[in-house]
Amino acid sequence: MAEVSPVEIEQFQQSAKELQKKVSNKIRYLQTLLNAVQAHDDRLIYQLIDGENYSHQIMQAKHGTADAGNERLLNDVTAQISQYLSINLLSYLKETYPFFYFQQTGLGNYQFFFGNWWDRRLFGTLDILKVAFEFDEIEYQKLKRAFELEQENKRLNSDQIAVISQQTDQLQALINSQAERDQQKEKIRQQLKQLAQEKVLPWEASKIRENKQQLVSQLSELTDQDEKAQKAYKLIRESQKDVLKLSKEDTLIGYEKQSIVAKFGSFENFEARNKSLYRDYIADLIATKGRVKIENE
Amino acid sequence: MKMSDSLNKTVTFQPHQTKQTSPSPATLSTTGRLMSYNDQLKAGLQNGIGFTRLLDQLISTTSTQELFQAVADLTAYHLDTAYIVFPQQYSRSDFYLIFLNRLLDLHQLSGVVLQSSDQYHELYHEYPGINAAGYFVFKFPENDPSGAYYIEKNSQLELFYLDFTKHLLRFNSHTLTQLLLVDYYPKLDHQNIKKFATILLAIGNYLKRDFGFDVDFGLLDPINSCVYQISEPDLPTTIIDQLFVIAAKGGKMLEAGADQSAVLKLDNDVTVTIFREADPQQAHFGEWLLKVWDPQQTISWFDVLLHYQFLRDWYLNNLPSLEIKADLQYFS
């Protein structure tokens, strides 16, 4: 082994000390987390796993006290952390959002349905570590739009249903007027026959031709309508299906709106509540500290 | 009650033309013939007396077992003989009607009135409250000697099939729906329709309990374990969607139940469940079925339809799919 200089020894000891400090810091971090888990101190766990979010939301700090290095240690156990935290969180959410029905899709993964009614909509997923809903954007926008339309005294699909109903009425009228058309056609055919039999004087020829042309085009227009009437039955059946689909969606959203109004008073309050969910939940954890919710592990 | 006064109209029993036990009168002396004639008369009268005893039993017994025996014996009785013909006779339908009437009497259930028609020389049942709309008799299928259909005379709708020999009773959900919910509902007091259905149910229950009949109550069955089979077991879910929409308009929410079932909670803890049989061990695995639950087990699918406009609309609009199946062996 080569001779080691005192400076090098000094450096070596210095770096060992540095590393010890770093590792000790990590051990301390993990030890604190372990203690928090053992003590069922979910609030502390939230603070430890995402300091940035915690200080931002709870302390309203401009600069978060992120401990990114230590938090990265947990990268391969986030599913387990989520799973653990989900238990208290879900019982809180079930109270706060009684109309959301959660369903586990994997370790620490949850999706939720809106409502307990027939064919309720899958409404999003739950981000347990962030204490936030990831709403299905399309479904959420429909709900939001339905609340906006309330002022116009309309449901989400009112206009569309009205348009389809109007079309259906027209089609039905076309079907209903079949007998009338048959009569008209018969009359025109008689007239054409008469024209063909009449003796035509040379100076009347063009007038007669014009007359005949007019009758022929009337007849073809009526035949066109007959064809449309033939297809009308099928179209009406399809429209009925469309209307059912739209009415069903309106009914679903109607229940969703009722649920939100019953719990939050308005959609705005609901949105505000969603925004402050993390803060509200941590506050709830602080308020219930010492009261262990889940007795047995 | 009035006897039928013309044989042509209600003849039901043929005299024994063929069965002769004594030697042919042609081979006898005059005295022998006289005695033989006299014996035949006596036998015929005895036969008649026997009949009157059975009729007495049918009319006045207080035992349900004797009542049942009386109707069974009377139905098979040959009252006329080659020597004595009784010109005024009741028909088999009449005996059946008397039997049901008396059975209900013995159970202290009133509400069916046994009437006689001068015009048609027959007995019939009428029900106070719905008698303006029709009356009821039995009809006998030609190629089935033991069975009988209880029909509404005007519409000829067969409400149930009754067979005393096989101890079998089958209600027809199709005709009950047509008569009670389509025909009667708009024009009669709903309480009276309910009373009528209650009596039909009671008839089924008494035949089952008193005589061990095998009974299919159809849509009248109020027992919670009853599973109603619908006409289209492969029900399109759009029909359940329709119920969801129409129920919301009727102020009820169709809920999502376990295993993709649909649950409708009605008033007084009554629950209707539409479900797909998920158990491969069950007879109707994979089929859509209907169930009605209530704490007292007194509410049937029929009761629910009678009570809720939106359910009735839904059911009647989708009859080809939803109609409760009737036993195809007896109802075509």
Side-chain angles (χ1 to χ4, degrees):
Chain A
M1 213 177 163
E3 197 72 10
V4 181
S5 74
V7 177
E8 280 173 324
I9 291 168
E10 176 68 15
Q11 271 178 349
F12 178 74
Q13 280 170 346
Q14 187 60 36
S15 56
K17 216 181 264 172
E18 280 294 315
L19 182 57
Q20 274 175 40
K21 212 170 120 193
K22 288 281 177 198
V23 174
S24 301
N25 175 281
K26 285 193 190 298
I27 288 172
R28 229 180 2 259
Y29 172 81
L30 290 174
Q31 188 62 52
T32 313
L33 182 63
L34 182 62
N35 292 344
V37 174
Q38 281 167 347
H40 297 160
D41 186 351
D42 288 11
R43 184 209 60 80
L44 183 53
I45 298 172
Y46 273 110
Q47 189 177 12
L48 289 169
I49 60 172
D50 191 352
E52 164 105 34
N53 195 25
Y54 187 90
S55 56
H56 178 73
Q57 297 235 27
I58 306 301
M59 337 263 225
Q60 310 280 312
K62 285 211 175 83
H63 303 288
T65 51
D67 191 358
N70 280 334
E71 285 165 19
R72 268 199 299 276
L73 289 171
L74 307 174
N75 278 353
D76 61 345
V77 286
T78 48
Q80 283 81 358
I81 296 172
S82 291
Q83 185 63 34
Y84 166 80
L85 289 172
S86 72
I87 294 160
N88 278 331
L89 178 58
L90 285 178
S91 80
Y92 173 78
L93 291 178
K94 276 172 197 162
E95 234 169 80
T96 323
Y97 297 84
F99 43 77
F100 284 158
Y101 288 77
F102 296 90
Q103 189 182 57
Q104 186 158 15
T105 52
L107 190 68
N109 272 323
Y110 286 85
Q111 61 182 19
F112 57 95
F113 293 90
F114 203 135
N116 62 333
W117 41 83
W118 171 251
D119 224 6
R120 64 217 178 140
R121 299 193 292 167
L122 184 59
F123 214 69
T125 54
L126 178 63
D127 186 335
I128 292 165
L129 301 183
K130 291 250 184 297
V131 193
F133 297 119
E134 304 279 347
F135 292 114
D136 181 303
E137 198 50 35
I138 293 168
E139 304 297 343
Y140 190 83
Q141 286 308 325
K142 280 183 187 167
L143 176 62
K144 193 173 173 154
R145 180 85 191 114
F147 268 106
E148 287 163 8
L149 282 169
E150 217 168 44
Q151 282 146 355
E152 299 171 44
N153 232 335
K154 277 184 189 166
R155 310 218 278 178
L156 184 66
N157 298 315
S158 296
D159 287 345
Q160 229 179 319
I161 291 174
V163 169
I164 297 174
S165 303
Q166 208 186 346
Q167 287 166 351
T168 310
D169 289 349
Q170 283 168 358
L171 290 170
Q172 193 57 53
L174 210 54
I175 294 171
N176 294 346
S177 59
Q178 185 64 53
E180 201 182 308
R181 271 200 306 282
D182 288 345
Q183 269 180 1
Q184 280 179 327
K185 280 184 297 188
E186 187 49 38
K187 208 169 133 193
I188 292 172
R189 284 195 192 102
Q190 286 299 329
Q191 283 173 317
L192 282 169
K193 213 167 151 189
Q194 229 170 8
L195 278 180
Q197 283 165 351
E198 268 173 23
K199 275 192 183 149
V200 184
L201 295 167
W203 54 88
E204 285 177 340
S206 73
K207 198 183 158 201
I208 298 276
R209 209 165 35 240
E210 209 177 281
N211 203 349
K212 190 181 162 193
Q213 195 53 49
Q214 217 176 355
L215 287 171
V216 168
S217 75
Q218 274 179 23
L219 192 62
S220 85
E221 200 177 304
L222 286 168
T223 332
D224 283 353
Q225 286 186 357
D226 284 352
E227 264 176 50
K228 277 186 196 157
Q230 293 282 321
K231 289 177 193 153
Y233 286 106
K234 205 180 154 214
L235 288 172
I236 288 176
R237 260 205 308 282
E238 274 163 19
S239 304
Q240 282 168 341
K241 271 187 206 160
D242 293 340
V243 169
L244 173 63
K245 220 168 131 185
L246 294 167
S247 317
K248 180 183 159 190
E249 188 170 69
D250 277 347
T251 308
L252 283 165
I253 294 175
Y255 283 139
E256 291 171 2
K257 283 168 63 192
Q258 278 175 28
S259 308
I260 285 175
V261 170
K263 184 68 189 177
F264 297 103
S266 72
F267 188 66
E268 288 68 33
N269 292 348
F270 167 70
E271 288 200 300
R273 193 64 198 270
N274 297 342
K275 261 192 200 129
S276 67
L277 183 56
Y278 186 91
R279 219 167 32 242
D280 293 344
Y281 182 52
I282 298 296
D284 182 73
L285 287 174
I286 292 167
T288 57
K289 201 185 169 193
R291 180 147 47 90
V292 178
K293 286 185 186 167
I294 306 298
E295 292 290 344
N296 303 310
E297 275 177 79
Chain B
M1 279 187 255
K2 183 178 174 298
M3 289 280 183
S4 312
D5 52 22
S6 162
L7 261 180
N8 320 344
K9 279 173 180 155
T10 48
V11 159
T12 324
F13 308 112
Q14 296 301 319
H16 300 250
Q17 298 283 20
T18 50
K19 207 179 163 202
Q20 298 285 343
T21 44
S22 48
S24 167
T27 63
L28 296 172
S29 65
T30 306
T31 315
R33 280 187 197 185
L34 196 59
M35 284 172 67
S36 163
Y37 170 76
N38 199 22
D39 287 343
Q40 289 294 339
L41 276 192
K42 281 182 198 161
L45 288 171
Q46 275 307 318
N47 188 48
I49 299 269
F51 183 84
T52 62
R53 282 201 198 101
L54 285 174
L55 206 50
D56 277 342
Q57 190 176 328
L58 184 71
I59 293 164
S60 55
T61 181
T62 53
S63 145
T64 52
Q65 295 308 321
E66 281 180 24
L67 184 69
F68 186 78
Q69 200 51 53
V71 76
D73 291 349
L74 281 169
T75 304
Y77 211 93
H78 296 278
L79 178 56
D80 291 342
T81 63
Y83 286 78
I84 299 182
V85 171
F86 294 83
Q88 301 201 3
Q89 294 186 19
Y90 280 100
S91 72
R92 195 170 143 206
S93 168
D94 297 336
F95 295 137
Y96 280 31
L97 292 167
I98 297 168
F99 167 79
L100 290 184
N101 201 257
R102 292 250 32 237
L103 181 64
L104 293 166
D105 278 349
L106 290 181
H107 286 279
Q108 275 94 45
L109 190 75
S110 60
V112 192
V113 181
L114 189 63
Q115 295 278 24
S116 61
S117 157
D118 294 345
Q119 193 185 349
Y120 298 109
H121 309 288
E122 65 180 2
L123 297 182
Y124 62 89
H125 273 169
E126 73 170 32
Y127 297 79
I130 65 170
N131 46 357
Y135 65 102
F136 302 85
V137 294
F138 276 96
K139 190 182 93 178
F140 299 89
E142 279 175 19
N143 48 4
D144 174 5
S146 64
Y149 291 101
Y150 191 67
I151 64 165
E152 196 285 301
K153 191 66 187 280
N154 294 330
S155 61
Q156 292 286 316
L157 289 171
E158 300 166 344
L159 298 191
F160 61 75
Y161 174 87
L162 179 64
D163 189 328
F164 283 120
T165 315
K166 292 186 198 139
H167 284 59
L168 186 126
L169 178 65
R170 293 282 180 270
F171 282 97
N172 186 345
S173 296
H174 168 72
T175 51
L176 288 168
T177 301
Q178 288 303 316
L179 188 70
L180 303 184
L181 297 175
V182 177
D183 182 10
Y184 285 176
Y185 190 87
K187 57 186 183 196
L188 296 179
D189 182 349
H190 307 151
Q191 282 303 315
N192 291 329
I193 300 176
K194 168 66 185 160
K195 269 186 210 155
F196 175 64
T198 307
I199 290 170
L200 293 182
L201 181 68
I203 288 173
N205 277 326
Y206 299 150
L207 287 174
K208 189 175 177 177
R209 269 185 256 147
D210 296 349
F211 315 116
F213 268 54
D214 172 17
V215 182
D216 172 6
F217 290 97
L219 83 172
L220 299 176
D221 199 336
I223 302 302
N224 287 344
S225 60
C226 167
V227 172
Y228 304 101
Q229 284 175 255
I230 59 175
S231 295
E232 193 178 357
D234 198 12
L235 188 71
T237 48
T238 50
I239 289 184
I240 306 180
D241 292 344
Q242 282 181 38
L243 178 60
F244 174 66
V245 173
I246 205 169
K249 287 177 187 156
K252 300 285 173 213
M253 187 202 279
L254 185 68
E255 295 179 18
D259 293 328
Q260 278 138 47
S261 64
V263 179
L264 189 62
K265 289 182 186 151
L266 301 169
D267 301 336
N268 304 317
D269 294 329
V270 177
T271 305
V272 173
T273 309
I274 307 162
F275 66 105
R276 196 168 197 168
E277 181 54 68
D279 181 357
Q281 306 294 317
Q282 293 291 322
H284 300 289
F285 173 61
E287 293 183 10
W288 283 96
L289 302 159
L290 255 173
K291 247 166 123 162
V292 177
W293 189 94
D294 71 294
Q296 278 85 40
Q297 309 214 39
T298 53
I299 305 292
S300 67
W301 178 233
F302 173 79
D303 293 317
V304 169
L305 291 176
L306 189 65
H307 193 267
Y308 293 95
Q309 173 81 44
F310 73 87
L311 275 170
R312 199 165 50 249
D313 288 345
W314 176 67
Y315 187 64
L316 295 180
N317 283 338
N318 294 295
L319 268 187
S321 303
L322 292 174
E323 187 155 72
I324 308 303
K325 275 188 198 165
D327 192 331
L328 286 177
Q329 205 180 329
Y330 304 101
F331 304 105
S332 49

